[in-house]
Amino acid sequence: WEFAAEGEITAGANFHGGNVLVGSHDSTLYCLSGDGKPVWQVKTDGPVNGTAAVIGDTTFVAGCDSVLHILDAKSGKELAAVDLGGQAAATAAIANDTAYVGTMANTVVAVDLKKREKAWEFAAAVRQQPFYASAAAG
């Protein structure tokens, strides 16, 4: 099958059960069935650059709207939206109830997933640069 989004797709797909999750520069996270039919879609306020992270029945996606969206992976319903303070170009890394997201505002942000709020933020004192790659977490 084939699926055409309204914008460029720059990141990989991820999976929830038999469904495929893929973000697009048309500011949308798409959930497609195994045969390529739309199951749900969520509009954000900016391009979705990174792959959606999936833990259990929850998916996490950040993009150029400077928000980490926490979504029910079955329905697409938004469970929370956490302000990152800067656009994100990469995939959120998830470990131990914390999401780690690098931003183009030269910060790495940790989000407490239980409280659904920013836990802390790191900015290098020197050589400040945007974080384009995903964090590693274990």
Side-chain angles (χ1 to χ4, degrees):
W1 53 266
E2 184 175 296
F3 175 79
E6 296 295 318
E8 182 179 13
I9 296 173
T10 59
N14 205 344
F15 302 91
H16 175 258
N19 293 335
V20 179
L21 300 171
V22 63
S24 170
H25 280 212
D26 64 6
S27 304
T28 306
L29 177 66
Y30 294 96
C31 178
L32 308 171
S33 66
D35 59 0
K37 301 213 177 352
V39 175
W40 54 260
Q41 63 185 36
V42 171
K43 279 295 227 184
T44 65
D45 288 329
V48 178
N49 298 309
T51 301
V54 178
I55 302 293
D57 288 331
T58 307
T59 186
F60 308 85
V61 66
C64 286
D65 64 353
S66 303
V67 172
L68 176 66
H69 298 273
I70 303 171
L71 308 167
D72 180 293
K74 293 179 183 178
S75 66
K77 178 182 181 224
E78 187 160 79
L79 305 173
V82 179
D83 182 5
L84 299 172
Q87 297 176 340
T91 303
I94 314 291
N96 302 320
D97 296 319
T98 304
Y100 302 92
V101 186
T103 74
M104 290 185 263
N106 312 325
T107 61
V108 175
V109 177
V111 175
D112 181 318
L113 297 177
K114 287 185 178 180
K115 294 180 180 178
R116 297 185 175 162
E117 63 185 30
K118 188 187 296 187
W120 54 260
E121 170 177 296
F122 166 80
V126 295
R127 296 181 52 133
Q128 294 185 349
Q129 299 288 321
F131 289 89
Y132 291 109
S134 299

